[in-house]
Amino acid sequence: NGLVNKIRGEIAAWSGMRFSYAAKVLLINSVIFGLDNYWGTTWLMPIQLVKLINKICKDFFWDVPAGGRKMVYKFSLDRGRF
């Protein structure tokens, strides 16, 4: 899909830079959701496409590598260990 490729291209260009969480929110809201809103007014987007765009944005926000998973650490306060 052209829209998904455009969004991935924008995020790939930003991935090498370090942004604060506030800057990431600003980029996602202004650029990515701007594209999303533009194309959403032109044609009705399938829900799977909307979910994919949201996942791409979430992965960028939380620094998840493309196609990868972020490491999650579990810590128990009761036992005081990982």
Side-chain angles (χ1 to χ4, degrees):
N1 190 338
L3 178 60
V4 172
N5 291 337
K6 177 85 172 152
I7 290 172
R8 283 189 175 142
E10 293 285 342
I11 288 181
W14 300 333
S15 293
M17 303 175 205
R18 296 188 48 87
F19 293 108
S20 67
Y21 288 122
K24 288 181 182 183
V25 169
L26 184 65
L27 282 170
I28 290 170
N29 283 337
S30 62
V31 177
I32 303 300
F33 289 147
L35 285 170
D36 188 28
N37 287 334
Y38 172 76
W39 286 104
T41 59
T42 306
W43 49 276
L44 184 62
M45 290 192 289
I47 192 68
Q48 294 87 5
L49 179 61
V50 174
K51 287 181 180 181
L52 178 61
I53 292 170
N54 284 336
K55 182 185 179 327
I56 292 169
C57 292
K58 286 179 195 176
D59 288 349
F60 168 69
F61 183 80
W62 293 112
D63 297 323
V64 176
R69 298 186 66 126
K70 186 163 181 153
M71 180 74 74
V72 176
Y73 296 99
K74 293 184 179 181
F75 182 77
S76 174
L77 291 175
D78 296 335
R79 297 183 196 124
R81 63 176 190 226
F82 288 95

